[in-house]
């Protein structure tokens, strides 16, 4: 498994010109099973072009690993404002969301932006 965290910079991955943005909204009961993202073109997947994920709202437990087995997956928290990049050799890692933690969003999102409870995730990709 290739998983680089805080020390990695976006410049280590090939640049993308995103032409797709997928928006997922999770209620506090929301989950997403372990899967690989491989709907993009074969050539861009082969190049390992990254996708870029931005989390907004409540914190999610995000899992990733080499297989679809959630017991073996590594779990990290993705908080509001976190950016996750899966690219290069990590591009086809299995990943998913095991749960969303109720009432963990920054209070200003609710108070000033009127955002509803739960989590929004945006992923930017290049087909
Ligand atoms: O919500 C997330 O952090 C992951 C979303 C995801 O894996 C997807 O949209 O394919
Ligand atoms: Fe995904």
């Amino acid at each position: 498994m290739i998983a680089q965290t805080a020390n990695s910079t976006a410049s280590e991955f090939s640049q993308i010109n995103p032409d797709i943005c997928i928006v997922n909204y999770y209620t506090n009961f929301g989950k997403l099973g372990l899967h690989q993202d491989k709907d993009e073109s074969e050539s861009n997947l082969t190049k390992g072009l990254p996708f870029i994920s931005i989390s907004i709202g409540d914190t999610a437990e995000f899992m990733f690993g080499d297989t679809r087995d959630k017991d073996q997956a590594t779990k990290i928290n993705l908080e509001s404002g976190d950016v996750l990049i899966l690219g290069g050799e990590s591009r086809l890692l299995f990943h998913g969301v095991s749960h969303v933690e109720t009432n963990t969003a920054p209070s200003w999102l609710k108070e000033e932006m009127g955002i509803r409870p739960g989590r929004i995730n945006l992923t930017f990709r290049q087909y």
Side-chain angles (χ1 to χ4, degrees), residues 15-21 49-52 123-127:
Q15 287 194 347
I16 56 164
N17 293 309
D19 48 18
I20 301 171
C21 175
L49 287 198
F51 71 78
I52 298 165
T123 53
F124 295 90
R125 306 141 190 270
Q126 183 174 339
Y127 181 76

Side-chain angles (χ1 to χ4, degrees), residues 94-106:
F94 286 89
H95 60 277
V97 171
S98 42
H99 67 267
V100 174
E101 288 171 38
T102 306
N103 215 11
T104 47

